[in-house]
Amino acid sequence: MVYDHDTMTNVTATTGSFVDWKGIAFDGSHGTHTSLTGERHFINAGGLGYSTGEPFSDPRPKGKDGKPYGPGPTAFKGLFKHGNKTVLAIGTNGTTALESPSWIDYGSTPIFVRTININNVITSHYVRLAPESMNVVVRGDGKLIKEKGDWVLEMPNNIREVKARVFLSKCDPGSLNTLAANFNEPMDLTPLTKGGPAQWPQTVTTTSVAGKEDGAFIADDFPLPLENPFHSWMRPGGFDFTPDGKAAIVAMWNGDVWRVDGVMERAPAKLTWRRIASGLFQPLGVKYRDGELFVLCRDQLAKLVDLNGDGETDFIECFNSDHQVTEHFHEFAMGLQTDVAGNFYYAKSGRHALDSVVPQHGTLLRVSHDGGSTEILATGFRAANGVCLNEYNDDGTLAAQPTFFVTDQEGFWTPKNRINRVKVGGFYGNMYGYTSVTDESDSAMEQPMVWITNDKDRSPAEMIWVPKNAWGNLGGSLLNLSYGTGKAFIVPHEEVNGKWQGAVCELPMPAFATGIMRGRFGSDGALYTCGMFAWAGNATSPGGFHRIRRGNKPAQVPLAVHAMKGAMSVTFSDPITDTKNAMRVWALKRTKNYGSKHHDEHELTIRSVKLSEDKKTITLDVPDLAPTWCYELKIGDRVLHGTIHQLSNP
């Protein structure tokens, strides 16, 4: 039995086979949509499922295509699990309705059952049931009426509590009446909302693998439980640490959420994996806030609640359902962060090569701390894979406004990958995103801090700040993780005349076998990362979970870059001895076409090199240095790719 949680309509009920397993998360296909393959016994198309006014008119705002999107006035509040029972919680006119679907196997004419409870019914409630072609029987409270070709359950007003059970079938009315009369399950759904028996008590163990200790960075691997009792496809989309810092919660792209214990132990160590939730819609962000667990899905910001302390989720609370979900495969909701006030942040992708339909396409979004509203902070993104924020000034005081960093992917109106230091209210270039900007010129968009060419990183992911007390002299640095290459990059940057610019440089360590999209520093000072492969990447292993520790060997990575009139200086984390160098620059062209080739690519002459007394800062005499979309700067075996908007005075 399938429900639309924006309208709370029981859209259809099917028997037989399930779905065709097509779609981006199943077979990787673009432009296909997962479809039901079983027999559809009825279809309720369009409009609301619950109503307290004129039955089932749909007041939701419409997208550019004329279709309504987003949550309706009868709001989905969450889903309770109790064994094999499911209870939907529905907010309607100041009260909460509970509904539990079930069915009776009656051969070729199955009987579908909807048990409905509503407390404190102040005004009349209407529940759309099925087209007139179905036979319907009601037991308990409520009256069966017809409305515009549909069977509707009318709930009386001004009563303390309504309990009703509805039977829907194509079987003959006499048999349906008899079966309904003999159906003895209790109508009170409240006991099913207190937490039920564990669904997945089984655990799976793997053993962490220690990385080689001979480098500047050591990568430990946390093998995923690829063989598991549930045939769960292990492709991590996000994670966070439990409040005690000892375990991690990892969400898989296909909808499972797992707890893994043992991640803080020195490798090799036993890792214990347990599934704690399932059935979420493409979760790509996980965050604890004040001890409560939140998961960002494509359709909602969900809070996972363990009602009885058995370690499993009994209630998937719909904390915020402002997501405007269309059918397009590309409009992922990615990353999840919070600020000190408890607000949430995530990024919503656009529709690939198509124009936007709803206001959230291609945006950075903020959800209020109580989940009651969503605000668009910036527009013009194409496929922003997560969000990074910093709320503090260099002296540790709280800043007036958070600083946001959002990466984006090459494509239409986006000539190459980009790292954006986001201004609230800014437009970031994708004319196919939902925007009021009509000027297609480059000057109408906010420039990125760095343009990244494909050879360097074909698909940047989420960025993360190194804590001041972590990774030695790299503390306070900005990192960028890569879905496309499985690498981590350091991002030195500067502000010149109000323009932010910088570069990216790989950390000296091998690439991971899968893309790494999400990162969080643990209480042990190590960076933990997870990610996956779906399409278009170099790191094609399906998924991975890793820990990056700082080793004893000098990293020799750039901490600061300064583009000056006639000179370029780079400050490294450690003394350098190899000062061999070369620099080339090129331009890009932003059009409605996909990406851009390099234009006017040429070498710059470096006349001389000066190394500071501590051998950490190298200054290059580059007489023809000028603002440029892109540059490549080689110093020894370190290669920086960056962007220059403004030159400062030497």
Side-chain angles (χ1 to χ4, degrees):
M1 297 178 74
V2 179
Y3 290 76
D4 176 348
H5 94 208
D6 278 340
T7 63
M8 292 319 303
T9 298
N10 178 198
V11 178
T12 190
T14 70
T15 56
S17 61
F18 183 34
V19 296
D20 59 10
W21 303 109
K22 293 180 180 178
I24 190 65
F26 297 128
D27 65 0
S29 56
H30 296 195
T32 60
H33 311 296
T34 307
S35 298
L36 296 163
T37 55
E39 180 184 357
R40 304 177 193 190
H41 295 267
F42 62 85
I43 297 174
N44 289 316
L48 305 180
Y50 280 69
S51 177
T52 57
E54 179 186 346
F56 320 118
S57 61
D58 193 340
R60 294 179 298 154
K62 292 180 171 60
K64 293 178 181 178
D65 58 359
K67 298 176 183 178
Y69 292 98
T74 49
F76 178 57
K77 298 183 70 174
L79 182 148
F80 293 94
K81 290 297 294 181
H82 192 287
N84 64 354
K85 299 289 186 182
T86 295
V87 178
L88 305 172
I90 303 159
T92 172
N93 198 34
T95 188
T96 298
L98 298 176
E99 175 171 341
S100 183
S102 56
W103 80 302
I104 301 169
D105 188 351
Y106 198 60
S108 61
T109 54
I111 299 168
F112 301 97
V113 184
R114 297 175 65 180
T115 302
I116 299 170
N117 294 178
I118 308 180
N119 290 327
N120 301 318
V121 179
I122 300 171
T123 58
S124 294
H125 276 67
Y126 303 90
V127 182
R128 185 161 52 155
L129 302 174
E132 288 183 21
S133 57
M134 295 289 287
N135 293 318
V136 181
V137 171
V138 176
R139 291 287 181 262
D141 303 312
K143 180 174 66 174
L144 192 62
I145 63 173
K146 289 184 179 180
E147 175 71 29
K148 297 179 181 178
D150 289 330
W151 288 113
V152 172
L153 178 64
E154 181 181 21
M155 302 288 198
N157 60 1
N158 293 314
I159 67 173
R160 182 173 179 81
E161 189 174 38
V162 166
K163 290 185 175 69
R165 179 167 283 138
V166 181
F167 299 82
L168 305 98
S169 182
K170 292 181 180 178
C171 72
D172 67 89
S175 298
L176 186 60
N177 266 297
T178 300
L179 284 165
N182 293 325
F183 197 85
N184 295 320
E185 287 190 10
M187 285 194 187
D188 186 6
L189 298 175
T190 304
L192 303 181
T193 65
K194 306 298 183 183
Q199 292 181 270
W200 313 294
Q202 311 97 315
T203 60
V204 185
T205 60
T206 62
T207 301
S208 61
V209 179
K212 294 182 179 180
E213 299 281 345
D214 58 353
F217 300 93
I218 301 106
D220 301 329
D221 183 50
F222 301 140
L224 302 171
L226 303 180
E227 300 296 326
N228 59 77
F230 322 110
H231 304 287
S232 179
W233 197 351
M234 308 299 285
R235 294 185 292 176
F239 80 100
D240 198 9
F241 297 106
T242 55
D244 62 7
K246 296 180 179 179
I249 304 297
V250 187
M252 305 299 167
W253 190 32
N254 281 81
D256 278 2
V257 181
W258 292 71
R259 176 187 171 111
V260 52
D261 288 276
V263 293
M264 286 293 168
E265 303 299 324
R266 184 178 179 86
K270 177 183 176 182
L271 304 173
T272 302
W273 299 77
R274 182 182 179 188
R275 184 158 78 164
I276 65 167
S278 189
L280 300 174
F281 185 14
Q282 295 182 11
L284 291 170
V286 180
K287 181 66 178 174
Y288 269 97
R289 187 195 69 175
D290 298 330
E292 297 180 320
L293 175 59
F294 295 84
V295 178
L296 179 72
C297 307
R298 185 164 158 174
D299 60 342
Q300 63 178 309
L301 175 56
K303 182 167 76 171
L304 306 189
V305 184
D306 178 3
L307 295 170
N308 57 11
D310 66 356
E312 289 190 8
T313 299
D314 303 294
F315 181 45
I316 301 174
E317 177 184 338
C318 183
F319 186 76
N320 176 274
S321 63
D322 290 340
H323 296 46
Q324 299 164 335
V325 182
T326 77
E327 85 291 345
H328 199 274
F329 78 94
H330 201 259
E331 60 168 50
F332 308 109
M334 295 196 278
L336 187 61
Q337 308 294 349
T338 56
D339 61 21
V340 293
N343 302 304
F344 293 88
Y345 299 86
Y346 70 95
K348 179 74 173 274
S349 296
R351 297 176 72 228
H352 193 53
L354 301 178
D355 190 19
S356 59
V357 169
V358 294
Q360 289 183 357
H361 278 145
T363 55
L364 172 63
L365 298 166
R366 173 166 56 203
V367 176
S368 62
H369 65 94
D370 61 357
S373 63
T374 299
E375 179 184 2
I376 295 173
L377 298 184
T379 63
F381 302 108
R382 183 176 174 273
N385 195 348
V387 57
C388 168
L389 69 136
N390 181 21
E391 296 183 84
Y392 295 94
N393 300 311
D394 290 340
D395 61 2
T397 58
L398 191 65
Q401 279 273 4
T403 299
F404 300 100
F405 291 91
V406 174
T407 67
D408 209 351
Q409 320 294 316
E410 177 194 28
F412 307 93
W413 292 111
T414 311
K416 290 296 172 190
N417 304 310
R418 49 189 291 169
I419 293 176
N420 304 296
R421 191 181 191 276
V422 176
K423 295 180 181 178
V424 172
F427 168 69
Y428 287 85
N430 179 20
M431 303 300 294
Y432 286 151
Y434 200 99
T435 177
S436 60
V437 175
T438 58
D439 185 350
E440 298 178 356
S441 67
D442 297 338
S443 61
M445 71 171 180
E446 299 291 341
Q447 293 292 328
M449 194 168 76
V450 187
W451 289 105
I452 311 174
T453 198
N454 309 58
D455 289 342
K456 193 67 169 177
D457 183 3
R458 62 180 295 175
S459 190
E462 203 161 67
M463 305 184 73
I464 184 170
W465 288 99
V466 181
K468 291 286 182 68
N469 60 350
W471 278 15
N473 56 4
L474 272 63
S477 299
L478 184 61
L479 303 178
N480 182 51
L481 306 177
S482 171
Y483 163 84
T485 65
K487 297 178 181 179
F489 296 81
I490 192 166
V491 188
H493 54 283
E494 63 173 342
E495 182 183 16
V496 181
N497 299 328
K499 301 289 186 180
W500 286 91
Q501 57 198 27
V504 296
C505 180
E506 298 93 331
L507 298 184
M509 58 182 296
F512 291 106
T514 193
I516 52 174
M517 300 195 303
R518 308 284 173 256
R520 299 197 187 278
F521 275 84
S523 58
D524 58 356
L527 172 61
Y528 291 72
T529 70
C530 80
M532 52 170 277
F533 173 77
W535 80 93
N538 298 346
T540 58
S541 181
F545 190 25
H546 315 282
R547 174 173 58 205
I548 303 175
R549 294 181 281 122
R550 185 72 170 87
N552 295 322
K553 187 176 179 179
Q556 293 181 327
V557 293
L559 298 182
V561 292
H562 297 294
M564 300 169 285
K565 295 174 182 177
M568 188 86 179
S569 76
V570 182
T571 299
F572 287 86
S573 58
D574 307 279
I576 62 171
T577 56
D578 187 352
T579 61
K580 292 194 302 291
N581 56 80
M583 190 171 188
R584 61 188 176 102
V585 296
W586 61 92
L588 304 171
K589 288 187 178 180
R590 173 175 161 267
T591 69
K592 64 181 179 180
N593 298 322
Y594 194 104
S596 170
K597 64 181 181 179
H598 293 190
H599 294 272
D600 190 27
E601 184 168 354
H602 61 278
E603 300 285 333
L604 292 182
T605 299
I606 299 175
R607 290 193 303 195
S608 63
V609 175
K610 179 181 178 182
L611 193 61
S612 64
E613 187 175 344
D614 63 4
K615 296 185 178 181
K616 292 183 180 180
T617 299
I618 184 172
T619 302
L620 309 173
D621 181 3
V622 191
D624 296 328
L625 189 65
T628 181
W629 289 65
C630 305
Y631 69 81
E632 178 186 80
L633 176 59
K634 296 180 179 179
I635 300 175
D637 60 358
R638 297 292 181 259
V639 181
L640 291 76
H641 278 220
T643 294
I644 301 173
H645 298 299
Q646 294 279 322
L647 297 176
S648 62
N649 293 319

